[in-house]
Amino acid sequence: MVTTRSKSSKLSADTPADIPDSPIPSDSAGKVTSPRSKKVKSSFTSNYAQLIIFLSLVLDLIAFTIILPLFPSILQYYKTRDGPDGVYRYLENKIGYFQRLVGAPSEFNAVLFGGFLGSFFSFLQFVASPIIGALSDVYGRKPVILLCLVGIAWSNWLWSVSTSFLTFILARVVGGISKGNLSVSMAAMTDISSSDKRASGMALIGSAFSIGFVVGPMIGAYYSKSWSSRDGVWFATPALFGIALTIADIIFVITLFRETLSKEKRLKSVASSLRQAFTYINIKDLFLFNAVKNMSTKDLKQLRSLGVVYFLYLFIYSALEFTLTFLTHWKFHYTTMQQGWMLSGAGITMAVMQGVFVRRIPSESVQTYASLGLLLVVPAFICIGLAQTSPVLIIGVFIYSLSTSFVVPCMTTIASKYGTSSQKGTALGIFRSLGALARATGPIVGCIGFWSLGPLITYCTGGVLLLIPWYLLRLSPNMKV
């Protein structure tokens, strides 16, 4: 998420972004070259910088997604190994009354704890990302990214030695705070992208996410299958591999990443920058887009409506998405390798759709495809909830992957059309913060539903509720495109 309001995130729609420390193109005699030659040089420098940010994100996201197919097995490990005085057993005792009240099976307790961890991790990202972004507005992108990567490496180390559930929780806390590097990387991409390159820069970030969600889960599943030993901390090897990737990313950033926010563009006051950041944390201000100043009443009203649609979609979507690995673990008895294949297949589908089709959607059709994506996700989750066999489940996951390919890119594109060049950075930052808030609250609600009502009612109800954001978007026929 780009959650800062720095000048660098408000690039003029007509003027290319400045490239820090970029030499003025000249010939051998020292004369300044033609504007066309300068433009080619600037374009090459911008493309190179975009590639560096993209590769850094790929390393980071592969390390981040290694844990995804392992979550059910990790929580099962703590259920049997945390000991009678451990945090896991303490939490089970605390929810015992409600478990008996709703008739939830004890094996679903791990789903509930997973939901708390997932929501807490995303909530830490929601709070930390604007603050970390604000610090990058003052001190520059590179040092803040490096600081976050060190935090991520520390988080993976804690995970690798977490013989107790409490240590694992601490690892997730450190990781959630440190993932603010994603918003700083997006800000860096905006720093070096001219108006005509900004879309391709965002597409590269989307591609990095797709690659991460294809490769990471398969690595985690492979290591859990090849190296697991139920007599020890079997997930130590994938955790250590995550550390290795993060260290490689740190070296990569130190040697190849060039600072994208020049000193003259940085905010001078930390206190002022942090005050701006807190506008992305105040929930009321978020939904009202209060940080966007001097926007027309009509545009502000439409932007607020779009923000509500986006939040509702991601809230319900993340609630169901987070429980998917738990569903396949308990209902279909998938191994971590099978879960890795499933997540990678979904990632490949999204990567192909976004790379081949979505990025070519004409401007006037963006809202139509956003609406189509919102409608497709309804039968996808209903199909997953009703599935009794793997083929039916895979059909649901495939439809879910198709819908995901459309919704977020198309809705973000619509949001980017609102406001002047000085307002777009703020509006998009709020838009992404609404998405982060949805992902911070959705998983726990979905896991409570899964735990207390069971997967059938949870997925079918969630699927039907996803008609609400689709209907609200349909009520807004005059969105800017």
Side-chain angles (χ1 to χ4, degrees), residues 6 51 95 121 124 167 184 190 196 220 237 288 372 427 452-453 461 463:
S6 69
L51 180 62
I95 65 170
F121 185 92
L124 290 170
T167 308
V184 180
T190 304
D196 60 332
T237 304
L288 294 177
L372 174 63
S452 59
L453 302 174
T461 302

Side-chain angles (χ1 to χ4, degrees), residues 246-316:
T246 306
I247 292 174
D249 198 6
I250 290 172
I251 296 171
F252 184 80
V253 170
I254 289 174
T255 56
L256 296 176
F257 185 94
R258 294 174 61 188
E259 179 57 60
T260 63
L261 186 61
S262 58
K263 291 183 178 180
E264 54 270 19
K265 284 188 174 183
R266 298 178 192 176
L267 298 180
K268 305 303 179 185
S269 169
V270 175
S272 174
S273 185
L274 289 175
R275 279 197 299 271
Q276 292 178 355
F278 284 121
T279 63
Y280 295 94
I281 300 174
N282 185 298
I283 295 175
K284 181 180 178 181
D285 286 343
L286 276 180
F287 280 98
L288 294 177
F289 283 78
N290 283 339
V292 183
K293 305 299 182 183
N294 303 318
M295 180 177 283
S296 70
T297 302
K298 178 184 176 182
D299 282 1
L300 187 59
K301 183 178 179 181
Q302 290 189 349
L303 194 56
R304 287 171 176 171
S305 297
L306 187 66
V308 170
V309 172
Y310 188 64
F311 174 82
L312 287 175
Y313 162 74
L314 276 180
F315 173 77
I316 303 170

Side-chain angles (χ1 to χ4, degrees), residues 1 307-322 374 381 404 407-408 411-412 431-443 466 469:
M1 300 175 299
V308 170
V309 172
Y310 188 64
F311 174 82
L312 287 175
Y313 162 74
L314 276 180
F315 173 77
I316 303 170
Y317 172 91
S318 63
L320 301 178
E321 176 197 39
F322 188 84
L374 287 171
F381 281 122
T404 305
V407 179
V408 173
M411 293 189 70
T412 304
F431 199 68
R432 279 181 281 269
S433 288
L434 284 172
L437 179 61
R439 289 191 175 276
T441 51
L466 279 164

Side-chain angles (χ1 to χ4, degrees), residues 57-70:
L57 276 174
V58 167
L59 288 172
D60 177 62
L61 289 165
I62 291 175
F64 169 64
T65 54
I66 284 174
I67 196 173
L68 294 183
L70 308 179

Side-chain angles (χ1 to χ4, degrees), residues 38-58:
K38 183 178 179 180
K39 184 176 181 181
V40 171
K41 177 70 175 179
S42 176
S43 177
F44 174 80
T45 307
S46 176
N47 290 340
Y48 174 79
Q50 284 187 350
L51 180 62
I52 296 302
I53 295 170
F54 164 76
L55 293 174
S56 173
L57 276 174
V58 167

Side-chain angles (χ1 to χ4, degrees), residues 63-122:
F64 169 64
T65 54
I66 284 174
I67 196 173
L68 294 183
L70 308 179
F71 237 103
S73 298
I74 288 173
L75 291 171
Q76 192 66 28
Y77 168 87
Y78 292 117
K79 178 181 175 66
T80 58
R81 301 295 182 91
D82 204 34
D85 298 325
V87 172
Y88 194 100
R89 192 68 63 197
Y90 172 81
L91 293 174
E92 275 200 318
N93 292 335
K94 287 296 182 182
I95 65 170
Y97 170 76
F98 296 100
Q99 180 181 337
R100 291 188 294 271
L101 185 66
V102 300
S106 60
E107 61 265 26
F108 282 3
N109 288 349
V111 183
L112 187 64
F113 297 158
F116 274 110
L117 284 173
S119 282
F120 189 51
F121 185 92
S122 296

